[in-house]
Amino acid sequence: MTATPNSKILLIESQYFPSIYFYKTLIESEILQIERYEHYQKVSFRNRCYIAGPNGVILLSVPLSKGKNQRTVMKDVRISNEENWQALHWKTLTSAYRRSPWFEYFEPELEHLYEQRFEFLLDWNMACLEWANKALGISPEIRLTDSFRKTYEEADGITDKRDHMVPGQLPGDAPIYTQVFGERTGFFPNLSILDLLFCEGKRGLELLK
């Protein structure tokens, strides 16, 4: 793909309710291009996100039909719906954030999202991404790759951040704000964008900037 003149394109893998650092990077771009022809990689944000709970950080992980060790093209990775993982994730979110200032505001639409069944991880992640973008108040153009390229030239106008964001290895310059259990646990940077939205609402975009 070739960029249009003066456009800023962020190329990155599909993620489940991406991190705050993801969004801090995204707001500097005009176009978000999601890689769908890479092979799935375990221990990544592709099927996991992190939130803050009363006893520390909580991992939410989407179960996959072939398990975490599969080498399947991302667009073909299927979710395992044998157990009602969405209900479990929603229950965890409700327990962690029902005391947050903005949870009730976002609750109806987000609960509806968690009631929808998805067969493919990419489709679920895209639905989460679109919901979070709307909640945050941003509207970048979103594209999906039509083939896999290992590298991109500078002339392509693309900032390639594929596999740059790894759990436990995100930069520490994320915005600081009041978290629900912050007085008890201390502050946890770079959690899922959900944490920032529930705690700060629309002000989250100002903090990202």
Side-chain angles (χ1 to χ4, degrees):
M1 169 186 169
T2 302
T4 53
N6 301 319
S7 64
K8 296 181 180 180
I9 301 176
L10 172 64
L11 173 64
I12 199 165
E13 70 274 7
S14 173
Q15 300 183 15
Y16 171 32
F17 275 125
S19 69
I20 292 169
Y21 182 70
F22 174 105
Y23 273 93
K24 190 173 180 181
T25 305
L26 173 59
I27 61 174
E28 299 175 357
S29 304
E30 299 168 3
I31 299 171
L32 174 62
Q33 188 173 358
I34 301 295
E35 177 62 74
R36 60 174 172 172
Y37 283 95
E38 60 165 2
H39 284 88
Y40 172 83
Q41 296 183 39
K42 63 180 180 179
V43 193
S44 72
F45 290 115
R46 290 168 179 82
N47 73 319
R48 62 176 60 192
C49 67
Y50 295 87
I51 63 172
N55 299 311
V57 175
I58 299 173
L59 164 65
L60 298 179
S61 180
V62 180
L64 306 178
S65 61
K66 292 184 180 179
K68 64 182 181 180
N69 295 316
Q70 60 184 297
R71 291 289 291 171
T72 305
V73 174
M74 186 63 190
K75 70 180 184 65
D76 297 326
V77 175
R78 290 181 176 271
I79 295 173
S80 173
N81 287 305
E82 293 181 4
E83 297 182 5
N84 197 349
W85 63 272
Q86 286 170 296
L88 177 60
H89 285 202
W90 178 246
K91 181 179 180 181
T92 304
L93 286 169
T94 301
S95 177
Y97 293 106
R98 60 190 169 194
R99 293 170 49 199
S100 66
W102 287 82
F103 182 78
E104 288 187 0
Y105 177 82
F106 293 120
E107 182 179 6
E109 284 191 1
L110 189 57
E111 183 177 19
H112 178 66
L113 176 62
Y114 273 90
E115 289 172 346
Q116 298 179 49
R117 182 184 176 95
F118 289 81
E119 297 296 328
F120 292 93
L121 179 62
L122 179 62
D123 293 338
W124 167 248
N125 286 354
M126 291 298 291
C128 294
L129 175 71
E130 290 167 2
W131 184 91
N133 288 355
K134 179 182 176 183
L136 196 58
I138 62 173
S139 54
E141 179 182 343
I142 300 177
R143 302 174 180 175
L144 297 172
T145 57
D146 50 22
S147 62
F148 181 79
R149 288 174 57 180
K150 187 174 182 180
T151 59
Y152 286 82
E153 302 296 330
E154 185 175 343
D156 292 319
I158 294 176
T159 301
D160 187 354
K161 289 291 186 179
R162 293 173 297 178
D163 294 321
H164 279 63
M165 300 180 189
V166 180
Q169 300 180 33
L170 295 178
D173 59 345
I176 297 176
Y177 51 95
T178 301
Q179 292 176 327
V180 179
F181 303 102
E183 291 186 0
R184 182 192 308 180
T185 64
F187 180 77
F188 297 114
N190 274 321
L191 298 178
S192 166
I193 191 64
L194 289 174
D195 187 76
L196 181 62
L197 285 169
F198 292 148
C199 294
E200 295 290 346
K202 298 292 184 179
R203 183 172 173 266
L205 183 57
E206 298 176 23
L207 293 173
L208 290 171
K209 292 178 178 179

